[in-house]
Amino acid sequence: HPPVVEPGWERSPRLAFLKRRAEELVDETFGSAPLWGFKDPRFSLTLPFWREVVARMRYVICIRNPVDVAASYARFVGGAESARREAIDLWVRSTSSALVHTSGSPRAVVFYEDFFTDICGQVERLSELIERSVPEDALAEIEAFVDRDLRHHWIGGDVFVAGDGLAAAEATVLYVALRALGPRPSQEAMRTVEELAQAALAVLDRISGGERRSTPPEAVASNAVS
């Protein structure tokens, strides 16, 4: 249940201390490394804060079929149908936020499923994003690293049935649009997807209505830094 935050929350003066701490963490962890990166599932939701900390970033947005996400989530937390609904809602919010908050920045949209069927093609796209070539021996190591048996939930192909409800409908529209993107989508194609993402976030906010109170920005940022 991600918190509701007001637009521009990342520029609140109350975040000054947390921004300094975040900058220290980045420096302590990565120092002067010429190329570095990090991954966190919450990152798409707290991205406005991190954009204030690290001015220039390139982004990899990895998409997984929300039906598979829901099945995996339900297996992890239990609750079957209620867990599936929560997972679909979270998928829409996280995916939409990632698309909206990376607008105008270098990025690549990749698909979880494709790493099991076309690892070389995915690595090539990532190498283009970071402007580095991939030696043959490194590619061989990458191919050996991928364990197809770790994919426990796979609906297969591009089949998609999210279920009933507005969140499920938004998930369907957004996932189908993302899947229709080419390997190197045009700016116009990405703008179309961003517009769908913006609309999906508006729908989720309307669904939640008054159920969730607005969260102070320092609470959101503290969670991001921790």
Side-chain angles (χ1 to χ4, degrees), residues 4 16 19 35 43 81 96 131 140 150-151 159 166 181 208 221:
V4 174
K19 283 182 181 176
L35 185 68
F43 189 67
E81 183 59 25
S96 297
E131 300 176 339
L150 292 178
R151 181 175 56 174
V159 177
L166 288 175
L181 293 174
S208 61

Side-chain angles (χ1 to χ4, degrees), residues 72-93:
S72 179
Y73 182 77
R75 177 175 177 267
F76 179 72
V77 303
E81 183 59 25
S82 61
R84 188 195 65 78
R85 287 195 300 269
E86 287 179 4
I88 293 294
D89 183 287
L90 186 59
W91 184 94
V92 174
R93 190 171 294 279

Side-chain angles (χ1 to χ4, degrees), residues 31 43 62 71 75 132 160 175 177 192 195 197 211 217:
F43 189 67
C62 187
R75 177 175 177 267
R132 298 288 196 281
F160 183 78
Y175 181 73
T192 298
E195 290 171 1
E211 294 176 7

Side-chain angles (χ1 to χ4, degrees), residues 108-119:
V109 177
V110 298
F111 293 88
Y112 172 87
E113 295 83 6
D114 293 349
F115 281 91
F116 295 94
T117 58
D118 180 28
I119 184 64

Side-chain angles (χ1 to χ4, degrees), residues 140-211:
E141 283 193 50
I142 292 170
E143 288 186 294
F145 178 79
V146 176
D147 185 350
R148 290 166 176 79
D149 291 334
L150 292 178
R151 181 175 56 174
H152 301 302
H153 298 282
W154 184 46
I155 194 171
D158 290 327
V159 177
F160 183 78
V161 181
D164 300 326
L166 288 175
E170 293 298 327
T172 300
V173 170
L174 187 56
Y175 181 73
V176 169
L178 286 165
R179 258 303 183 189
L181 293 174
R184 295 163 185 81
S186 65
Q187 291 184 353
E188 182 180 355
M190 288 304 302
R191 277 197 300 270
T192 298
V193 170
E194 287 171 19
E195 290 171 1
L196 290 173
Q198 286 275 21
L201 289 174
V203 168
L204 290 188
D205 287 342
R206 190 165 68 249
I207 293 173
S208 61
E211 294 176 7

